[in-house]
C-alpha cells in the first residue's frame, strides 16, 4: 500500500557527511531561511498571510540582544553584508603552513567569538572595491557613469549618504562577509549559521579603519554543533537498545482467529460422501444446481432471478456467514439427488440494488456431497505451508502480519518514544540561532491559527511584540531543542548504519503523490522535482531509521482500549480547564489595568 507521506519540518539540511552539510547564507537585513519549510500544520500561503499581518510590527520577531554586540549592518543605504562561500582572492595562498589569519574563542550555546586579523592589502582592496561599486551607481558632473573616479571625488559625492565613514562601513562589511566563512571552515572546520554580530560597533570600527593598514575585527557567530553521543553502559553503539514506553490498542484476537481459519481453509481437503442417504451437516460441502425466483408478498415464487443469481455446479460449503441468509440452513439435512426449496434474503449491502435486501426462493438440486477435512495447526501442517516453519513460528508470523495494520496506526506513538529516548543520549548544544528561527516559525503558526479561528487582524497585531515572542520562545525552547536533537540523531544513525532509500522506492512515492494530487484536481506543474525528491527521500529514510531503532530497542507497550470513556475524568478535566481559563482571564485583566494606570 502507498504510504501517506508527511513531510517533516527540518531546521537545516543535515547531510550524511560532515563536509556536505548545508550552510545557510546570512545577511544583515535577513534571517536564515530553513531549507525545509513545508510544515504539517500550516501551508506556505497561511504563513505568508500571517507574516504580512505582522509587517507593520516586524521588529516583534527580533529578540533584543543585551550583550554588547552589534548586528553586522550597513548604514546610509549601503548594501547588506553577505557571507560568501568562496575564498577571496586576497586570502589565496599556496603555502598551507602559513599562520592563521584569525583567532577563535569558544562561547556557550555553540557560539564562537572570531577575531579576524585582516592584512593591509585586504583592507585596501576592500575599500577600492567599495569605491568601484559606488561609482557605478552615482552620477558626478564631469565624469562618465562607470568611469574611474578619484577616491576623494567619490567620498565627497557620497557625503549626503554618510560620506567617507559610510564607505568605510561598507568596506568593513565586505571584508567580514568575505572572511567569516573561509576562516571558520578552513582554519577551524566549523560551519557558520545564523546572523553574525560585531562585538565592537560598526561606527567604532569605521572610525579607526584606514585603507591600506591592518585591521582587527571581532565577530560573534553561531556555528553548527558537533555531534556527541552520551556513553550508555553495555552498549558499544549508544543508540541501540533504546528504552521507552508507548500506548496502543490491544491485539485483535478476532482478526487473528479469522486469519488462522482462512489459512486452514486453503489447505482443506474434500472426501466424497459415498453414502447418498447421509444427510448434509454443518462443515460439509456440496455441489448444486440453483434456480432462483423473486419471492412474492405471500412467500410464493415470483419472477425468475437474473442468470447471474442462479447457476449450475455451484460449490456450497455449509458454514455460518458465508452466503445469503437462509441458504445454508435450507440445505442442512438434504441428501444427494434431492431438490430443496430454500427461502433466502439477499444482503442489504449487495451491489445489485434491485436485489439488495429482497426475499427470494431457490430450487436447489444437490448433485454431490463431500466431507471437509480441515487441518489442525501442527508442525507437520506448518512444514506444508512453508518448509522450515513450525506450528509456533507459523502462529508468530501470522500474529505479526495481523497486528501490522494496528501497529501502523500507532507508529507515530512508537517513533515518539524512540525520539524521546535518542534525544536523551544526544549530547549536543543547540545554537540560539536555530532555536530563535524555529520559535519564529512556530509563533507565526500560532498567529495564523488565531486568524483562521476568526480573530481580527488588529487584535493579532497587538499580540506580536518582542516581549510576547521572548515569552513564547522560552516556553517552546525545550521542545525545539529536543526536536533538533532527534533530527540530528536520526540523520547520524542513517550515516553510521549506511541506511539508504532505494531509488525505486523514491520514484514510486513521488508518483503516488502526483497521482493523489491529480485525483484531487491539483496541478503538479509547478512542483520542483528535485526538491520534492529530496524531501521524499528524507522522510522515507527517517522511517527506515525509526524501524531500525525499533528492532534494536527495548520498548514497553501499554495496551489500552481507546473505546473506553471515563465520564468522571472528562468532567474533572473540563472543570480544571475552566478554572485555568478563568485564572488567565483574571491575570490578563489585572495586567491591562496596570498598563492603563
Amino acid at each position: 500500500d502507498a504510504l501517506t507521506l508527511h513531510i517533516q519540518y527540518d531546521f537545516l539540511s543535515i547531510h550524511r557527511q560532515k563536509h556536505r552539510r548545508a550552510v545557510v547564507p546570512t545577511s544583515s537585513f535577513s534571517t536564515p531561511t530553513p531549507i525545509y519549510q513545508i510544515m504539517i500544520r500550516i501551508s506556505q500561503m497561511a504563513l505568508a498571510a500571517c507574516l504580512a499581518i505582522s509587517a507593520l510590527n516586524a521588529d516583534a520577531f527580533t529578540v533584543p540582544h543585551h550583550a554588547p554586540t552589534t548586528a553586522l549592518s550597513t548604514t546610509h543605504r549601503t548594501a547588506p553584508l553577505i557571507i560568501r562561500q568562496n575564498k577571496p582572492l586576497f586570502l589565496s595562498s599556496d603555502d598551507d603552513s602559513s599562520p592563521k589569519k584569525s583567532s577563535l574563542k569558544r562561547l556557550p550555546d555553540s557560539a564562537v567569538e572570531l577575531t579576524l586579523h585582516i592584512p593591509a592589502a585586504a583592507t585596501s582592496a576592500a575599500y577600492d572595491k567599495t569605491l568601484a561599486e559606488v561609482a557605478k551607481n552615482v552620477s558626478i558632473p564631469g565624469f562618465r557613469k562607470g568611469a574611474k573616479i578619484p577616491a576623494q571625488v567619490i567620498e565627497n559625492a557620497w557625503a549626503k549618504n554618510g560620506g567617507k565613514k559610510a564607505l568605510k562601513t561598507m568596506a568593513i562589511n565586505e571584508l567580514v562577509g568575505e572572511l567569516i566563512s573561509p576562516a571558520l571552515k578552513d582554519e577551524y572546520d566549523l560551519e557558520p549559521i545564523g546572523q553574525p554580530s560585531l562585538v565592537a560597533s560598526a561606527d567604532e570600527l569605521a572610525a579607526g579603519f584606514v585603507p591600506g593598514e591592518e585591521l582587527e575585527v571581532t565577530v560573534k557567530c553561531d556555528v553548527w554543533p558537533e555531534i556527541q553521543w552520551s556513553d550508555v553502559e553495555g552498549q558499544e553503539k549508544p543508540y541501540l537498545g533504546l528504552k521507552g514506553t508507548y500506548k496502543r490498542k490491544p491485539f485483535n484476537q478476532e482478526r487473528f482467529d479469522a486469519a488462522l481459519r482462512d489459512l486452514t481453509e486453503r489447505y482443506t481437503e474434500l472426501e466424497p460422501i459415498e453414502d447418498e442417504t447421509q444427510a448434509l451437516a454443518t462443515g460439509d460441502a456440496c455441489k448444486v444446481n440453483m434456480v432462483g425466483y423473486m419471492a412474492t408478498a405471500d412467500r410464493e415464487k415470483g419472477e425468475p432471478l437474473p442468470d447471474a443469481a442462479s447457476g449450475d455446479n455451484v460449490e456450497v460449503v455449509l458454514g455460518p456467514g458465508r452466503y445469503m441468509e437462509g441458504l445454508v440452513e435450507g440445505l442442512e439435512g438434504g441428501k444427494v439427488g434431492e431438490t430443496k426449496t430454500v427461502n433466502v434474503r439477499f444482503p442489504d449491502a449487495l451491489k445489485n440494488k434491485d436485489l439488495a435486501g429482497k426475499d427470494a426462493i431457490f430450487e436447489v438440486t444437490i448433485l454431490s456431497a463431500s466431507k471437509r477435512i480441515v487441518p489442525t495447526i501442527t508442525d507437520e501442517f506448518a512444514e506444508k505451508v512453508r518448509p522450515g516453519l513450525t506450528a509456533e513460528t507459523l502462529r508468530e508470523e501470522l500474529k505479526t502480519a495481523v497486528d501490522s495494520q494496528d501497529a501502523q496506526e500507532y507508529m507515530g506513538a512508537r517513533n515518539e518514544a524512540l525520539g524521546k529516548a535518542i534525544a536523551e543520549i544526544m549530547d549536543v548544544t543547540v545554537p540560539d540561532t536555530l532555536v530563535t528561527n524555529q520559535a519564529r516559525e512556530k509563533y507565526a503558526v500560532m498567529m495564523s491559527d488565531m486568524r483562521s479561528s476568526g480573530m481580527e487582524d488588529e487584535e493579532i497585531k497587538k499580540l506580536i511584540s518582542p516581549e510576547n515572542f521572548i515569552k513564547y520562545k522560552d516556553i517552546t525552547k525545550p521542545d525545539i531543542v529536543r526536536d533538533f536533537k532527534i533530527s540530528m540523531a536520526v540523520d547520524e544513525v542513517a550515516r553510521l548504519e549506511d541506511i539508504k532509500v532505494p531509488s525505486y522506492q523514491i520514484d514510486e512515492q513521488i508518483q503516488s503523490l502526483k497521482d493523489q494530487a491529480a485525483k484531487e484536481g491539483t496541478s503538479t506543474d509547478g512542483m520542483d522535482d528535485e526538491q520534492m525528491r529530496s524531501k521524499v527521500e528524507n522522510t522515507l529514510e527517517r522511517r527506515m531509521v525509526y524501524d531500525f531503532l525499533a528492532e534494536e530497542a527495548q520498548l514497553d507497550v501499554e495496551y489500552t482500549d481507546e473505546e473506553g470513556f471515563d465520564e468522571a475524568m472528562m468532567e474533572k478535566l473540563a472543570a480544571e480547564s475552566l478554572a485555568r481559563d478563568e485564572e488567565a482571564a483574571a491575570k490578563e485583566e489585572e495586567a491591562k489595568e496596570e498598563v492603563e494606570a
Side-chain angles (χ1 to χ4, degrees):
D1 294 336
L3 57 88
T4 301
L5 185 66
H6 293 289
I7 301 297
Q8 300 182 7
Y9 179 87
D10 214 344
F11 302 94
L12 294 171
S13 180
I14 307 174
H15 291 276
R16 306 297 172 259
Q17 299 178 11
K18 187 175 182 181
H19 69 277
R20 294 178 58 201
R21 288 181 307 200
V23 180
V24 179
T26 55
S27 164
S28 59
F29 292 152
S30 63
T31 54
T33 302
I35 293 175
Y36 296 144
Q37 289 190 341
I38 298 183
M39 305 174 69
I40 295 174
R41 296 183 56 226
I42 183 170
S43 67
Q44 293 284 358
M45 183 175 294
L47 180 56
C50 180
L51 294 179
I53 294 172
S54 65
L56 296 179
N57 197 8
D59 290 340
F61 288 106
T62 303
V63 181
H65 294 282
H66 302 293
T69 59
T70 304
L72 286 174
S73 64
T74 57
T75 57
H76 310 290
R77 304 181 187 177
T78 54
L81 164 70
I82 301 295
I83 292 183
R84 310 191 189 285
Q85 303 303 312
N86 298 323
K87 192 171 183 179
L89 292 177
F90 52 73
L91 284 183
S92 300
S93 173
D94 295 330
D95 182 9
D96 293 335
S97 63
S98 59
K100 289 184 178 180
K101 300 172 180 63
S102 65
S103 57
L104 186 81
K105 177 183 177 182
R106 290 279 186 172
L107 300 175
D109 297 330
S110 194
V112 296
E113 196 171 86
L114 179 70
T115 299
L116 298 168
H117 309 292
I118 305 173
T123 62
S124 178
Y127 192 70
D128 290 344
K129 183 178 179 181
T130 298
L131 293 176
E133 290 297 324
V134 169
K136 295 177 183 179
N137 300 297
V138 296
S139 178
I140 301 177
F143 293 92
R144 297 191 310 275
K145 191 171 184 179
K148 184 173 180 58
I149 307 173
Q152 186 174 358
V153 175
I154 297 176
E155 291 167 355
N156 292 334
W158 203 249
K160 64 179 180 180
N161 294 317
K164 190 172 183 177
K165 187 176 182 180
L167 293 170
K168 289 181 177 181
T169 301
M170 294 172 66
I172 291 171
N173 278 342
E174 175 70 22
L175 278 169
V176 177
E178 290 279 5
L179 296 175
I180 288 178
S181 183
L184 288 173
K185 294 173 68 176
D186 298 343
E187 298 184 27
Y188 304 100
D189 198 21
L190 296 173
E191 296 283 5
I193 57 175
Q195 180 173 321
S197 57
L198 293 167
V199 173
S201 69
D203 287 342
E204 290 174 345
L205 290 172
F209 175 74
V210 178
E213 294 185 8
E214 293 183 358
L215 178 68
E216 187 174 282
V217 177
T218 301
V219 177
K220 182 179 177 182
C221 181
D222 284 344
V223 296
W224 190 264
E226 293 296 323
I227 295 176
Q228 296 288 338
W229 297 99
S230 301
D231 292 331
V232 178
E233 185 177 354
Q235 290 289 351
E236 181 180 353
K237 298 178 179 180
Y239 49 83
L240 300 183
L242 296 174
K243 297 179 181 180
T245 302
Y246 71 97
K247 297 180 180 181
R248 53 153 294 176
K249 70 169 115 176
F251 177 73
N252 194 324
Q253 187 64 40
E254 291 183 4
R255 189 184 298 164
F256 173 77
D257 293 340
L260 201 60
R261 283 197 303 271
D262 290 342
L263 179 63
T264 56
E265 286 285 344
R266 297 210 317 256
Y267 289 86
T268 295
E269 298 178 355
L270 297 179
E271 182 181 287
I273 298 176
E274 302 296 340
D275 184 2
E276 295 186 352
T277 64
Q278 182 175 332
L280 290 171
T282 300
D284 291 339
C286 59
K287 284 193 175 182
V288 300
N289 290 339
M290 301 175 61
V291 179
Y293 305 87
M294 294 297 296
T296 62
D298 54 1
R299 310 292 293 175
E300 297 293 333
K301 296 178 185 177
E303 293 292 325
L305 292 174
D307 292 341
S310 300
D312 294 336
N313 285 317
V314 178
E315 185 175 57
V316 179
V317 176
L318 275 63
R322 291 176 175 269
Y323 310 102
M324 51 196 151
E325 179 185 337
L327 179 60
V328 171
E329 294 81 356
L331 289 177
E332 286 181 339
K335 301 174 183 178
V336 174
E338 288 185 351
T339 297
K340 297 182 69 73
T341 300
V342 180
N343 294 295
V344 303
R345 169 165 289 183
F346 288 106
D348 293 334
L350 195 68
K351 289 184 179 180
N352 188 334
K353 299 307 177 184
D354 293 334
L355 300 178
K358 302 293 180 60
D359 292 324
I361 298 173
F362 280 90
E363 295 292 339
V364 184
T365 300
I366 303 173
L367 304 177
S368 63
S370 301
K371 184 175 183 61
R372 299 173 71 251
I373 312 258
V374 181
T376 55
I377 305 299
T378 62
D379 289 344
E380 182 180 358
F381 172 73
E383 179 73 20
K384 186 183 294 185
V385 173
R386 191 178 75 233
L389 274 182
T390 65
E392 182 180 358
T393 56
L394 184 148
R395 288 178 180 275
E396 286 300 320
E397 286 192 12
L398 191 60
K399 184 176 182 180
T400 300
V402 167
D403 195 46
S404 62
Q405 183 176 347
D406 288 341
Q408 190 69 32
E409 181 180 347
Y410 289 87
M411 198 70 71
R414 184 205 70 175
N415 292 350
E416 185 177 351
L418 291 170
K420 181 179 179 181
I422 203 170
E424 292 176 354
I425 61 170
M426 174 59 69
D427 188 10
V428 171
T429 301
V430 181
D432 186 69
T433 295
L434 298 180
V435 175
T436 300
N437 288 344
Q438 176 65 349
R440 183 181 294 112
E441 298 287 349
K442 286 176 172 287
Y443 197 63
V445 171
M446 183 175 68
M447 297 298 106
S448 180
D449 287 346
M450 290 179 178
R451 190 171 193 262
S452 298
S453 299
M455 182 178 286
E456 295 295 330
D457 292 354
E458 290 301 319
E459 293 299 317
I460 294 176
K461 282 191 283 186
K462 292 178 183 178
L463 298 176
I464 302 176
S465 67
E467 293 75 19
N468 285 341
F469 175 67
I470 292 173
K471 291 178 183 177
Y472 181 80
K473 177 186 171 184
D474 291 340
I475 293 172
T476 58
K477 182 175 180 178
D479 290 339
I480 292 173
V481 170
R482 183 201 61 210
D483 291 344
F484 178 77
K485 287 183 176 182
I486 293 172
S487 180
M488 286 195 73
V490 168
D491 281 1
E492 181 67 0
V493 170
R495 185 186 70 82
L496 294 173
E497 299 296 334
D498 197 27
I499 297 175
K500 298 178 181 178
V501 185
S503 294
Y504 75 89
Q505 290 187 10
I506 302 174
D507 294 336
E508 289 177 355
Q509 185 56 47
I510 290 175
Q511 188 59 50
S512 175
L513 290 173
K514 290 183 176 181
D515 291 344
Q516 182 178 353
K519 186 177 180 180
E520 295 173 354
T522 303
S523 174
T524 59
D525 295 340
M527 286 187 179
D528 186 328
D529 289 342
E530 185 177 345
Q531 188 180 50
M532 176 187 286
R533 187 174 188 84
S534 174
K535 291 173 181 176
V536 168
E537 181 180 12
N538 181 271
T539 300
L540 293 177
E541 183 183 273
R542 284 172 176 270
R543 181 164 296 183
M544 292 172 65
V545 171
Y546 276 119
D547 289 343
F548 167 78
L549 293 174
E551 290 176 2
E552 304 291 338
Q554 301 174 28
L555 295 179
D556 295 327
V557 182
E558 295 181 9
Y559 292 97
T560 59
D561 188 354
E562 292 187 337
E563 294 180 357
F565 180 77
D566 191 334
E567 185 174 354
M569 177 62 74
M570 293 304 294
E571 290 180 355
K572 179 182 177 182
L573 291 174
E576 292 176 352
S577 177
L578 180 60
R580 286 195 298 270
D581 291 344
E582 291 176 348
E583 182 181 356
K587 288 182 179 180
E588 184 177 349
E589 186 64 27
E590 182 180 345
K592 187 183 295 184
E593 291 176 357
E594 291 179 359
V595 171
E596 292 175 351

Short mmCIF file of all heavy atoms in Angstrom, two decimals, residues 134-146 149 157-158 160:
data_model
loop_
_atom_site.label_atom_id
_atom_site.label_comp_id
_atom_site.label_asym_id
_atom_site.label_seq_id
_atom_site.Cartn_x
_atom_site.Cartn_y
_atom_site.Cartn_z
N VAL A 134 30.32 51.83 -5.79
CA VAL A 134 29.56 53.08 -5.61
C VAL A 134 29.62 53.91 -6.89
O VAL A 134 28.63 54.53 -7.31
CB VAL A 134 30.11 53.87 -4.41
CG1 VAL A 134 29.52 55.28 -4.39
CG2 VAL A 134 29.79 53.14 -3.12
N ALA A 135 30.78 53.92 -7.53
CA ALA A 135 30.96 54.72 -8.75
C ALA A 135 30.00 54.30 -9.85
O ALA A 135 29.62 55.10 -10.71
CB ALA A 135 32.41 54.62 -9.23
N LYS A 136 29.60 53.04 -9.83
CA LYS A 136 28.68 52.54 -10.86
C LYS A 136 27.27 53.11 -10.67
O LYS A 136 26.46 53.09 -11.59
CB LYS A 136 28.61 51.02 -10.81
CG LYS A 136 29.92 50.32 -11.16
CD LYS A 136 29.76 48.80 -11.02
CE LYS A 136 31.06 48.07 -11.30
NZ LYS A 136 30.92 46.60 -11.13
N ASN A 137 26.99 53.58 -9.47
CA ASN A 137 25.61 53.96 -9.16
C ASN A 137 25.44 55.44 -8.82
O ASN A 137 24.38 55.85 -8.35
CB ASN A 137 25.10 53.11 -7.99
CG ASN A 137 25.11 51.64 -8.29
OD1 ASN A 137 24.42 51.18 -9.19
ND2 ASN A 137 25.92 50.88 -7.56
N VAL A 138 26.51 56.22 -9.00
CA VAL A 138 26.39 57.66 -8.73
C VAL A 138 26.66 58.44 -10.01
O VAL A 138 27.37 57.98 -10.90
CB VAL A 138 27.36 58.10 -7.62
CG1 VAL A 138 27.02 57.43 -6.30
CG2 VAL A 138 28.80 57.82 -8.01
N SER A 139 26.08 59.58 -10.06
CA SER A 139 26.29 60.47 -11.22
C SER A 139 27.04 61.71 -10.73
O SER A 139 26.55 62.47 -9.89
CB SER A 139 24.95 60.85 -11.85
OG SER A 139 25.15 61.73 -12.93
N ILE A 140 28.28 61.88 -11.25
CA ILE A 140 29.13 63.00 -10.83
C ILE A 140 29.42 63.87 -12.05
O ILE A 140 29.90 63.38 -13.07
CB ILE A 140 30.44 62.48 -10.21
CG1 ILE A 140 30.13 61.58 -9.01
CG2 ILE A 140 31.33 63.65 -9.78
CD1 ILE A 140 31.35 60.96 -8.38
N PRO A 141 29.10 65.16 -11.97
CA PRO A 141 29.38 66.06 -13.11
C PRO A 141 30.84 65.99 -13.53
O PRO A 141 31.74 66.03 -12.69
CB PRO A 141 29.01 67.44 -12.57
CG PRO A 141 28.02 67.17 -11.47
CD PRO A 141 28.47 65.88 -10.84
N GLY A 142 31.06 65.87 -14.84
CA GLY A 142 32.42 65.83 -15.38
C GLY A 142 32.95 64.43 -15.54
O GLY A 142 34.05 64.24 -16.08
N PHE A 143 32.22 63.43 -15.05
CA PHE A 143 32.67 62.04 -15.18
C PHE A 143 31.56 61.20 -15.81
O PHE A 143 30.38 61.34 -15.45
CB PHE A 143 33.02 61.45 -13.80
CG PHE A 143 34.23 62.08 -13.16
CD1 PHE A 143 34.08 63.17 -12.31
CD2 PHE A 143 35.50 61.60 -13.41
CE1 PHE A 143 35.18 63.75 -11.71
CE2 PHE A 143 36.60 62.18 -12.81
CZ PHE A 143 36.45 63.26 -11.96
N ARG A 144 31.96 60.33 -16.72
CA ARG A 144 31.00 59.39 -17.31
C ARG A 144 30.65 58.35 -16.26
O ARG A 144 31.49 57.97 -15.43
CB ARG A 144 31.58 58.71 -18.55
CG ARG A 144 31.91 59.66 -19.70
CD ARG A 144 32.21 58.85 -20.98
NE ARG A 144 33.18 57.81 -20.70
CZ ARG A 144 34.51 57.97 -20.70
NH1 ARG A 144 35.02 59.18 -20.95
NH2 ARG A 144 35.33 56.95 -20.47
N LYS A 145 29.41 57.87 -16.33
CA LYS A 145 28.98 56.84 -15.40
C LYS A 145 29.82 55.58 -15.64
O LYS A 145 29.93 55.09 -16.75
CB LYS A 145 27.50 56.51 -15.60
CG LYS A 145 26.93 55.64 -14.49
CD LYS A 145 25.42 55.54 -14.60
CE LYS A 145 24.85 54.75 -13.44
NZ LYS A 145 23.39 54.64 -13.48
N GLY A 146 30.41 55.06 -14.57
CA GLY A 146 31.25 53.87 -14.68
C GLY A 146 32.70 54.18 -14.92
O GLY A 146 33.55 53.28 -14.93
N ILE A 149 36.97 57.10 -11.11
CA ILE A 149 36.84 58.38 -10.44
C ILE A 149 37.75 58.39 -9.22
O ILE A 149 37.80 57.42 -8.47
CB ILE A 149 35.37 58.62 -10.00
CG1 ILE A 149 34.42 58.44 -11.20
CG2 ILE A 149 35.20 59.99 -9.37
CD1 ILE A 149 32.96 58.49 -10.83
N ALA A 157 31.08 63.04 -3.14
CA ALA A 157 29.76 62.84 -3.75
C ALA A 157 28.85 62.01 -2.85
O ALA A 157 27.62 62.10 -2.93
CB ALA A 157 29.93 62.15 -5.11
N TRP A 158 29.46 61.24 -2.00
CA TRP A 158 28.69 60.34 -1.12
C TRP A 158 28.38 60.99 0.23
O TRP A 158 27.88 60.35 1.14
CB TRP A 158 29.49 59.04 -0.89
CG TRP A 158 28.66 57.86 -0.52
CD1 TRP A 158 28.64 57.22 0.68
CD2 TRP A 158 27.74 57.13 -1.33
NE1 TRP A 158 27.77 56.16 0.68
CE2 TRP A 158 27.20 56.08 -0.56
CE3 TRP A 158 27.31 57.29 -2.66
CZ2 TRP A 158 26.27 55.19 -1.07
CZ3 TRP A 158 26.39 56.39 -3.15
CH2 TRP A 158 25.88 55.37 -2.37
N LYS A 160 26.08 63.05 1.27
CA LYS A 160 24.70 63.01 1.75
C LYS A 160 24.28 61.62 2.22
O LYS A 160 23.26 61.46 2.89
CB LYS A 160 23.75 63.50 0.66
CG LYS A 160 23.73 62.62 -0.59
CD LYS A 160 22.75 63.15 -1.62
CE LYS A 160 22.72 62.28 -2.88
NZ LYS A 160 21.77 62.81 -3.88
#
